[in-house]
Amino acid sequence: MNLSPPEHSMDGSKAEHLLPCFRRSAFDEPLASYHSGSIISHLLRKTIHNKLTSLDNSLLYLPSANASGFDPESNSADDFAREEQSCLSFKDEDLSVSEHLQAKRTRVENIIRGMAASPNADGEAESECEAVRCRRDLLKENKRKQRLPQHQEPKTSKDEECHKLKEQLQSMQRLLHQLQEKISHVHDQNYSESEEREDARSEHSMEPGGFGSDRAMKNLKETLKCELTRTMSESIDTVFKKLSTTLLNQSSPCHSPDCSETEKRIPEDSPSDLSDSEENVNSRHCFEIHGPEHQTEALSLVVRKPSLSQAVKRPFPLHQTPFQMGYSAPLHDSQILEHLLKYGPHSTFCLERSSPDSVERPWESLAMRSKLSSGHLGQHQTGLVSVDALCLPHIKMECGDLQSMAERSSFMSLNISFERLTPNHLKKAKLMFFYTRYPSSNLLKNFFPDVKFDRCITSQLIKWFSNFREFYYIQMEKFARQAIIDGVNDVKDVSVTRESELFRALNMHYNKANDFQVPDRFLEVAEVALQEFFSAISLSKDSDPSWKKAIYKVICKLDSDVPEDFKSPSYL
DNA sequence: CTCTTACCTG
DNA sequence: CAGGTAAGAG
């Protein structure tokens, strides 16, 4: 591919020539009116807060692998972290129980102090946050201006803007580092705390009053909750601000012949100079575009459902501007988010990191990508990760951080699921099928309280059950015919037990892990269904094209209530 | 006419 | 399992 080597400097003039066609039409309009990620961060804020609140006791679970994945060396001098570390680094082995407790209490108090007085010690969390807020206001102001004749915006202002945004992001990253440090420590606290309680229990001597450390712990948790929530949402806000600013700053037309071949990259940051810091150079690999198709698919992000397949099947020539076809009306945040959630993080023109250079990437120290994204997270599908689905190359780096945040959120059992249906939902639906073959949409709503039901989600769920039934009846017919072939004459000889092959087939389909005790009722209904098929086929009713409908009518009356347990969002 | 659903396909 | 389609209900 014709990718510019990452070494190229990203000075302003150059940046302006990068991928003009991409820059234009694709995102300008929709994102110009996009409110800086407000919806995502809002949702996040809400969701995270809820989750945190409901997970009071397990919130701070953070396996030590996580903590060890954090490399303070790779980060620019994080005094706070170091200070904390030195303060907390002594080992417990030699301490007697009471010494141990005392020491721990001290540590907890230390942390609380550190957080309350916040970062004057280390530097700047507080003032940074203030700065972020200021920036936010300033940005709003600038965005208003830029929405008008954009090209008239003085370049220096843009540069400054970008530079400051850059700084903000770095600040947020530092904050996250710090936060993570704190959480890691708290986890250690909790961990040894529980160990200790185990010991204490065996010795039949719970610590009286606990030195008020329980209270301290609680306070700490609260503080951490707030901090985490705030930090994450601020980071996200920042990223989105940056995104929209960047897009606004890029307004050159798409008709340049350049866009077809040579320069298929877009500037990582806004088109301005951000000084050739190492980070700038290193992060460039994130912004490669592989071809026109990607852009076409990008459309799917913001145009409603039908456009996805359309766009994929009928890529537009680059010099045309297909992207605008859906933009007659301003898009709502919710539409975009909905699309993200629906099609998931990798549904669009996501660019793979194809960096050949093995230069370290500072922002990844936070992400702890290798550990988190491979092992522990596995199948986790957090809606938050869908931020990645934006797949706007120039925010890829930030996406990495967002993603890592999301990952760690799942890691911490926050399990942010947003509104889309996850594999767990599917699994749950399958188990529910053992009770109900024809669930009403109301029933579904009741039993999937963690799902935000809109038309798409509802029909998807209904579609699932429709598919379940399809498989179910296919099996019924198959085994009924088999019984007839096997010479069974009487309907009464047709039965379904847990040993039946029919049951095994069904169980394999709906309960693959076989970790669910299928209710007897399901067997009874299955038997009725099988007998219905048997009779109908025996009587040659199957010559009627709609012969199955009578059977469906019988079966749909045999639904039973789904146990209340299924209503729990965390079922499974 | 819109919305739902059964059926078919990949 | 999801997408597409066509028939049917309201």
Side-chain angles (χ1 to χ4, degrees):
Chain A
M1 289 210 205
N2 302 296
L3 300 170
S4 309
E7 290 76 27
H8 281 187
S9 73
M10 296 294 272
D11 61 19
S13 59
K14 189 145 210 156
E16 294 209 345
H17 290 90
L18 294 179
L19 204 72
C21 52
F22 178 88
R23 197 183 302 146
R24 197 203 153 166
S25 52
F27 299 113
D28 274 358
E29 186 48 38
L31 281 165
S33 54
Y34 192 87
H35 301 302
S36 301
S38 56
I39 177 132
I40 291 187
S41 62
H42 172 72
L43 289 173
L44 280 177
R45 217 169 287 148
K46 212 167 142 188
T47 309
I48 294 168
H49 182 75
N50 290 343
K51 299 282 184 181
L52 286 168
T53 308
S54 67
L55 285 164
D56 200 41
N57 291 322
S58 54
L59 161 73
L60 298 169
Y61 170 71
L62 192 68
S64 46
N66 195 13
S68 62
F70 173 70
D71 178 11
E73 296 302 318
S74 72
N75 190 20
S76 58
D78 193 335
D79 294 332
F80 183 88
R82 259 199 273 283
E83 189 177 286
E84 287 285 299
Q85 204 138 35
S86 63
C87 165
L88 301 172
S89 60
F90 58 84
K91 292 297 171 192
D92 299 336
E93 298 92 47
D94 304 336
L95 296 174
S96 72
V97 170
S98 64
E99 281 172 325
H100 183 101
L101 285 171
Q102 182 64 42
K104 208 159 15 158
R105 187 169 51 129
T106 312
R107 274 182 284 171
V108 171
E109 286 167 354
N110 244 329
I111 293 173
I112 294 171
R113 253 198 305 278
M115 295 185 61
S118 212
N120 284 343
D122 67 291
E124 321 119 1
E126 202 67 49
S127 51
E128 295 274 357
C129 293
E130 191 54 39
V132 168
R133 276 189 286 275
C134 292
R135 290 300 316 152
R136 191 177 301 155
D137 293 337
L138 181 57
L139 275 169
K140 279 178 194 157
E141 204 46 44
N142 282 338
K143 209 153 55 169
R144 264 198 297 278
K145 290 181 202 161
Q146 287 165 353
R147 207 166 295 185
L148 302 176
Q150 300 164 16
H151 18 283
Q152 292 170 8
E153 186 73 9
K155 190 168 183 300
T156 50
S157 165
K158 282 190 268 178
D159 295 349
E160 193 179 300
E161 189 79 71
C162 294
H163 187 70
K164 285 177 178 173
L165 281 169
K166 187 91 187 166
E167 284 176 347
Q168 273 178 43
L169 275 170
Q170 288 166 348
S171 298
M172 295 316 298
Q173 285 172 5
R174 276 198 299 275
L175 278 177
L176 283 166
H177 281 303
Q178 291 166 15
L179 181 59
Q180 197 218 326
E181 274 294 287
K182 290 167 191 168
I183 290 177
S184 308
H185 289 316
V186 172
H187 167 253
D188 291 340
Q189 301 285 333
N190 275 348
Y191 186 72
S192 37
E193 185 97 32
S194 56
E195 267 187 344
E196 219 164 81
R197 291 209 176 148
E198 284 298 315
D199 297 340
R201 205 171 298 152
S202 59
E203 292 176 25
H204 187 65
S205 64
M206 275 299 268
E207 184 186 358
F211 292 87
S213 68
D214 276 352
R215 166 172 242 132
M217 211 55 202
K218 206 172 169 183
N219 285 338
L220 178 57
K221 285 179 186 176
E222 282 306 312
T223 316
L224 282 170
K225 284 179 200 175
C226 295
E227 182 118 348
L228 179 59
T229 306
R230 183 178 56 82
T231 310
M232 285 184 73
S233 44
E234 284 184 358
S235 293
I236 289 154
D237 276 345
T238 306
V239 167
F240 273 86
K241 283 186 197 335
K242 180 173 178 176
L243 165 65
S244 44
T245 306
T246 303
L247 292 169
L248 281 165
N249 285 342
Q250 299 166 343
S251 54
S252 55
C254 177
H255 306 287
S256 158
D258 288 344
C259 36
S260 55
E261 277 301 323
T262 48
E263 301 273 358
K264 285 186 173 155
R265 297 191 294 130
I266 63 167
E268 84 166 294
D269 273 287
S270 21
S272 58
D273 69 313
L274 285 168
S275 77
D276 259 328
S277 73
E278 194 177 299
E279 184 170 336
N280 284 335
V281 176
N282 292 343
S283 53
R284 228 156 270 149
H285 68 282
C286 299
F287 312 117
E288 295 153 356
I289 292 189
H290 297 152
E293 304 84 1
H294 297 307
Q295 294 176 45
T296 313
E297 284 183 82
L299 180 58
S300 66
L301 279 173
V302 281
V303 181
R304 298 282 288 194
K305 184 175 167 184
S307 306
L308 178 68
S309 46
Q310 218 175 15
V312 173
K313 285 174 186 164
R314 187 161 42 89
F316 290 83
L318 266 179
H319 58 276
Q320 295 177 14
T321 54
F323 311 108
Q324 289 172 343
M325 65 185 186
Y327 296 162
S328 49
L331 283 156
H332 278 294
D333 294 346
S334 57
Q335 283 179 275
I336 296 173
L337 183 58
E338 182 184 324
H339 196 100
L340 296 186
L341 298 174
K342 183 172 170 64
Y343 292 107
H346 307 298
S347 61
T348 50
F349 73 127
C350 258
L351 311 177
E352 289 306 310
R353 290 171 189 275
S354 53
S355 114
D357 55 336
S358 55
V359 211
E360 74 219 314
R361 286 157 284 185
W363 57 88
E364 287 196 340
S365 60
L366 178 80
M368 296 172 291
R369 230 170 279 285
S370 54
K371 276 183 191 289
L372 283 175
S373 52
S374 57
H376 305 292
L377 287 159
Q379 306 285 326
H380 261 270
Q381 296 199 5
T382 66
L384 186 52
V385 176
S386 294
V387 170
D388 197 43
L390 271 177
C391 291
L392 299 172
H394 38 326
I395 63 163
K396 188 67 176 181
M397 175 186 75
E398 292 82 355
C399 280
D401 286 346
L402 288 177
Q403 188 161 342
S404 78
M405 284 193 283
E407 286 167 351
R408 278 181 300 157
S409 296
S410 336
F411 207 35
M412 290 187 290
S413 312
L414 295 183
N415 196 20
I416 300 165
S417 73
F418 277 94
E419 293 86 9
R420 82 170 156 177
L421 294 171
T422 66
N424 271 348
H425 289 130
L426 176 60
K427 197 173 169 188
K428 177 174 172 176
K430 284 180 170 180
L431 296 185
M432 284 173 64
F433 186 78
F434 284 123
Y435 299 92
T436 173
R437 268 62 59 187
Y438 295 87
S440 67
S441 56
N442 263 341
L443 184 144
L444 293 176
K445 279 170 188 160
N446 286 334
F447 280 88
F448 290 93
D450 57 332
V451 172
K452 180 196 160 203
F453 277 79
D454 58 16
R455 202 167 289 154
C456 291
I457 296 290
T458 307
S459 56
Q460 189 187 0
L461 252 176
I462 288 178
K463 178 75 176 178
W464 281 358
F465 276 87
S466 171
N467 286 330
F468 298 162
R469 285 193 297 271
E470 200 169 7
F471 179 82
Y472 181 79
Y473 288 126
I474 287 172
Q475 296 303 312
M476 292 299 164
E477 182 177 355
K478 187 172 114 186
F479 281 92
R481 292 189 186 278
Q482 188 60 47
I484 291 171
I485 291 169
D486 291 347
V488 177
N489 287 317
D490 196 336
V491 198
K492 290 171 184 164
D493 295 330
V494 175
S495 68
V496 176
T497 69
R498 292 179 190 274
E499 283 69 45
S500 304
E501 275 206 49
L502 171 59
F503 174 77
R504 291 159 64 117
L506 295 173
N507 191 53
M508 181 60 76
H509 192 70
Y510 308 115
N511 180 27
K512 203 163 228 160
N514 201 25
D515 52 2
F516 179 79
Q517 175 68 19
V518 179
D520 289 335
R521 176 72 179 161
F522 178 77
L523 294 167
E524 296 168 20
V525 176
E527 187 168 295
V528 172
L530 186 60
Q531 290 173 346
E532 286 290 325
F533 270 92
F534 180 89
S535 303
I537 296 169
S538 299
L539 298 172
S540 298
K541 287 182 182 173
D542 56 340
S543 54
D544 178 354
S546 56
W547 65 285
K548 292 177 183 173
K549 287 190 176 166
I551 301 176
Y552 300 159
K553 210 167 180 176
V554 172
I555 303 304
C556 75
K557 291 175 183 161
L558 301 180
D559 277 5
S560 44
D561 292 336
V562 181
E564 291 292 308
D565 316 357
F566 280 82
K567 285 186 178 171
S568 164
S570 53
Y571 188 83
L572 289 178

